[in-house]
Amino acid sequence: MAEAEVRCVDFWCNEFGMRVRIALREKNVEFEFVEEDLRVRQRSELVLRMNPVYRSIPILIHRGRPICESMNIVEYVDEVWSQPGGTRLLPADPLERAHARFWANFVDQKVFDAQHRFFMGRNEAKETAKAELVGHLKRLEEVLGDKAFFGGDEFGLLDVALVPFSSMFYGYEKHGGVDMEVECPVLARWVRRCHERESVRSVLPTGVNMYEIHKFFYGIE
Amino acid sequence: MSPPVKVIGAFGSPFSHRVEAALRLKGVPYELILEDLSTKSELLLKSNPVHKKVPVLLHGDRAVCESLVIVEYIDEAFDGPPLLPADPYDRAMTRFWVDFMENKCSMPFWLAHWTEGEVRGRFVKEAKENLALLEAQLKGKRFFGGDTAGYLDIAACALSPWLSVIEEVTGVTLVDDDEYPELCRWAKEYASDEALKQCIPDRDELVAYFNVNKERYKMFANAMAQQ
């Protein structure tokens, strides 16, 4: 049987991979989900071959050629599957594109890092990370403002970059008492709006499942 | 008429250089505003409230921050030779290696030069592995971008004019001709390119700058290495 034209190597709870799968669904691209079980320490032969530099997922394999790094893949998907009048994840205007990329970079550098330290840390380190995490999310809430999406009226690159982290909000409350409805009500409303989209609904796991597996990864009782 | 372009930069910063390099390759005139990073100006703090860092590109009343975001903006907002390839897969490959340069290469490379003793060894090994991957990307090409310099060349600028300066000041040489002939050849191409050499800082001034900051860089590097 011929190999699928588009394959996405990922694991269900990988926030970076969710970005790719949401983007593919937004563009109505049919793809094969190739599962790489992150609970297993050793990476598969496929991952080692397709991503020798980082040996990580997600990996998009398009006609046998790999593309790695989640935001890079999302931009590739946006460029390759673009039709006049079709969904575009990156806006047309260069300044808006720069802003989307700047804040997506902020999500990667700041939000993910703080989230990681929040789950890794104990006592003071955990509290510090928690405060930073909430601070970064509040900052993003200011960027959203009164727009429907970060992209304006349209769901776009920055929405794709951030929405997977919303599947961890339940975990933030369970792990550290962070109630996102209270801390970032505008962001919480944005999350609900994103969930109206089939792409987001079909990709994002439940908060309960995300918390359970992260407890496993971080060795939390 | 296009709104005026200004770059808020700092002497000696390869990040600032990337922005100037992109503008020069596109043929866009600009005014350079040099910051004294020990006392940041109102303009910088207002233009980059999130990170409070250089470089910042001011294009009319627009402010764009983060050197690589700025380079992509320059490529998209201005006419002139493209800094990224046309084909989406080639673009994805370019962005991949730029990201590699920025997020995987830079830190071990820096630490391999500024730390000492046993600690250094670990970073040297990692830096050399990374350099080998970059070396492989050059095979046969004049620049990473092909015949002309592009996004990845600009992103890798610290491996050209800055490299020999850091080597002189620290006494550490990682990138030698025998092991990395392509990178060494590329570094010379970069430094002698008509457009790029106009925004490369004067070598003697750069050496002096690094000598002044030597002890501070060593201290920070050793602190980072502990983490």
Side-chain angles (χ1 to χ4, degrees), chain B residues 93-221:
Chain B
M93 287 301 100
T94 301
R95 289 190 176 116
F96 174 85
W97 288 109
V98 166
D99 181 78
F100 173 78
M101 185 67 226
E102 184 77 333
N103 294 315
K104 194 150 198 276
C105 263
S106 302
M107 192 54 75
F109 191 76
W110 179 258
L111 293 174
H113 287 86
W114 295 101
T115 53
E116 279 149 343
E118 263 179 59
V119 176
R120 251 198 79 223
R122 181 159 57 95
F123 296 114
V124 167
K125 180 171 180 289
E126 197 181 337
K128 281 179 145 333
E129 283 167 7
N130 294 338
L131 287 167
L133 288 170
L134 286 171
E135 174 85 3
Q137 288 306 302
L138 270 172
K139 278 286 179 309
K141 293 186 294 187
R142 195 165 158 226
F143 292 102
F144 288 105
D147 293 328
T148 53
Y151 190 21
L152 181 50
D153 300 276
I154 296 172
C157 65
L159 290 178
S160 175
W162 276 261
L163 182 61
S164 76
V165 170
I166 294 173
E167 286 175 345
E168 182 178 319
V169 171
T170 60
V172 174
T173 301
L174 278 182
V175 189
D176 67 69
D177 257 321
D178 293 328
E179 263 189 277
Y180 308 101
E182 299 279 334
L183 276 171
C184 291
R185 178 190 51 75
W186 168 83
K188 294 194 187 75
E189 289 275 15
Y190 192 101
S192 57
D193 179 87
E194 279 308 313
L196 296 171
K197 70 185 183 192
Q198 292 175 60
C199 54
I200 293 173
D202 174 78
R203 197 178 184 282
D204 290 338
E205 280 180 47
L206 206 51
V207 170
Y209 177 81
F210 273 93
N211 269 319
V212 160
N213 288 293
K214 191 168 157 177
E215 293 312 312
R216 195 162 62 91
Y217 290 156
K218 278 191 188 173
M219 195 180 73
F220 279 135

Side-chain angles (χ1 to χ4, degrees), chain A residues 129-183:
Chain A
K130 173 177 152 183
E132 283 178 30
L133 177 61
V134 175
H136 297 323
L137 290 167
K138 282 181 190 283
R139 186 141 225 171
L140 283 161
E141 199 177 44
E142 282 170 27
V143 174
L144 178 63
D146 54 13
K147 302 195 296 284
F149 297 107
F150 283 96
D153 294 327
E154 303 296 327
F155 185 79
L157 188 87
L158 186 49
D159 301 280
V160 172
L162 184 62
V163 80
F165 289 86
S166 71
S167 64
M168 288 298 286
F169 286 1
Y170 173 86
Y172 296 168
E173 180 154 15
K174 286 291 168 197
H175 185 63
V178 177
D179 184 348
M180 286 298 286
E181 291 284 345
V182 169
E183 297 285 357

Side-chain angles (χ1 to χ4, degrees), chain B residues 52-72:
Chain B
K52 304 180 177 62
K53 287 181 178 174
V54 293
V56 179
L57 182 80
L58 299 171
H59 183 198
D61 56 4
R62 305 168 154 197
V64 186
C65 308
E66 291 296 284
S67 64
L68 297 176
V69 173
I70 299 171
V71 172
E72 289 212 53

Side-chain angles (χ1 to χ4, degrees), chain A residues 74-99:
Chain A
V74 172
E75 290 216 31
Y76 176 81
V77 168
D78 197 38
E79 286 176 17
V80 170
W81 287 280
S82 67
Q83 280 135 22
T87 312
R88 58 180 312 160
L89 296 171
L90 268 153
D93 177 64
L95 183 68
E96 286 178 41
R97 293 161 78 90
H99 284 159

